[in-house]
Amino acid sequence: MEKILEVKDLAVSFKTFFGEVEAVRGISFEVGKKETVAIVGESGCGKSVTANSIMQLLPMPPAFFKNGEILFNGENLLSKSEKEMQNIRGNHIAMIFQDPMTSLNPTMKVGKQIVEGLIKHHGLKHHDAKKKAIEMLDLVAVPQPEKRIEQYPHEFSGGMRQRVMIALAMISDPQLLIADEPTTALDVTVQAQILDLMKSLQERLDMSIILITHDLGVVADTSDKVVVMYAGQIVEQGLTDEIFKETAHPYTQKLLASVPRLDMNRDEALLSIEGTPPDLYIPPKGCAFYDRCDKAMKICKDNMPGFTEHSATHASRCWLNHPMAKTNEGSGI
C-alpha cells in the first residue's frame, strides 16, 4: 500500500519550571493511502501531542522535538517553515479537534468561519465562497444550510457543531484527516452518525484518516490499523483484527477487558486498570506499565523491552513476548 504519512522515531518534550516532560518517546508508525489508523490509550499517553506534532501546532517553546521525522508524501514536516505549514494545513492535512464549541469562534457566524478558509486557501470571491460553504454544510447533512450558515455556534447542537467542524476540515479536500476524539461528549446515536459521515466522506474523497480516541468500540468499527500508546510510547500496533483477536500486550488486554460487552451478566463488574501512569518528568528505565501489570517480571523493571513481531503487521513491546520468555518461564528471566 502506498504510504501517505510516516512517523519515524518521533520524540517530543516540554520544558517546564520543574524540568523536562518527555511526552512522546520514540514512536514510529505509518498511514497508507485511503487507510484509517486509530491511535488509542489513556488520557496523557501522548495521542494528542502526536497529532499536534504532525500539524505543527505545538507551542514552541515550551515544546521541542528531540528526535525523529514526520514524512508526508516523502517530505519531512519538521523541516518546514511556518509559511510552508500554513499551505499544508487545510489544503493537504486537516484536523477535527476534540471540542467543537471551543474550536469554533463563538463571536462569528458559522458561515463566515467557513468562508474565510475558502477565501484564504482557494482565493475565491466572497459570493462564490459562500455558495461553496452552503454546499459543504449540505454535504455533511446540516439541514437548511442556507439558513444555518447565518447562525452562531451556540445555536447548533453538539452533533451539528461537530458536522460544521467536519465541513471546515473537508473544505479543501485534504489527503489526510486527523480526527482528535471527534465523538467526545456526543450521545451514542449522534456518534454513529458522525462516524458514518466520516466514512462516507473518506470513500468519496479517497482520504486517509488518523482517528485518536479512547473508545475501542469506535476503533473496532472504523479502523484498518490500531496503534496502542502508553506513557508516550507505542506498546502494540497491528491490523484491527490482530489487536482485538490476537492481543499481545498486557496493557491492551486490560483496555479491552474494561469495555462493556453484550454477553456480560448484569452483576458482572467491569475491569478497571489499577494504579496510574508513570511520571514523565522521570520516565521509568524499564517497561512503563511495570507498576500496573500483574504479569510483570524482574527484567521489566529496569530493562526497556524491544518490539517482538507476531506477524508482518503486528508487533508488541513486552518481555512476555520475547523468544526467551517461555524458556525462562517462572524464573523472572
Side-chain angles (χ1 to χ4, degrees), residues 14 31 62 114 152 159 181 213 240 255 262 273 310:
F14 291 83
V31 181
I114 301 174
Y152 290 90
E181 301 279 8
T213 183
T240 302
L255 280 181
L262 291 175
I273 306 177
H310 308 288

Side-chain angles (χ1 to χ4, degrees), residues 11 34 70 100 129:
K34 303 181 187 179
I70 301 174

Side-chain angles (χ1 to χ4, degrees), residues 248-266:
H249 197 282
Y251 176 63
T252 313
Q253 292 167 358
K254 287 181 178 291
L255 280 181
L256 291 172
S258 65
V259 177
R261 303 187 316 274
L262 291 175
D263 61 350
M264 290 181 66
N265 298 322
R266 288 186 177 182

Side-chain angles (χ1 to χ4, degrees), residues 183-300:
T183 57
T184 296
L186 301 179
D187 63 57
V188 176
T189 304
V190 177
Q191 281 185 25
Q193 292 172 353
I194 294 298
L195 292 170
D196 286 343
L197 173 60
M198 288 174 59
K199 284 195 284 187
S200 66
L201 289 172
Q202 180 181 28
E203 292 172 3
R204 185 179 303 187
L205 302 174
D206 291 338
M207 178 178 63
S208 302
I209 295 177
I210 294 177
L211 176 64
I212 296 172
T213 183
H214 60 269
D215 189 331
L216 292 171
V218 169
V219 171
D221 187 49
T222 60
S223 65
D224 300 303
K225 292 194 306 192
V226 181
V227 174
V228 183
M229 290 190 68
Y230 182 76
Q233 294 180 317
I234 293 174
V235 295
E236 187 169 2
Q237 59 181 318
L239 301 179
T240 302
D241 283 347
E242 291 174 324
I243 296 298
F244 278 81
K245 296 178 182 178
E246 301 168 26
T247 316
H249 197 282
Y251 176 63
T252 313
Q253 292 167 358
K254 287 181 178 291
L255 280 181
L256 291 172
S258 65
V259 177
R261 303 187 316 274
L262 291 175
D263 61 350
M264 290 181 66
N265 298 322
R266 288 186 177 182
D267 57 350
E268 188 177 347
L270 282 174
L271 174 74
S272 62
I273 306 177
E274 296 182 359
T276 57
D279 188 345
L280 294 182
Y281 281 113
I282 310 173
K285 294 179 181 179
C287 176
F289 195 56
Y290 173 78
D291 289 332
R292 307 173 75 186
C293 182
D294 51 16
K295 300 177 181 178
M297 301 177 291
K298 294 177 184 177
I299 193 172
C300 303

Side-chain angles (χ1 to χ4, degrees), residues 2-20:
E2 182 183 347
K3 300 172 188 174
I4 191 170
L5 182 77
E6 293 178 80
V7 176
K8 296 183 176 182
D9 200 24
L10 179 67
V12 186
S13 290
F14 291 83
K15 292 179 180 177
T16 73
F17 178 79
F18 299 101
E20 177 186 339

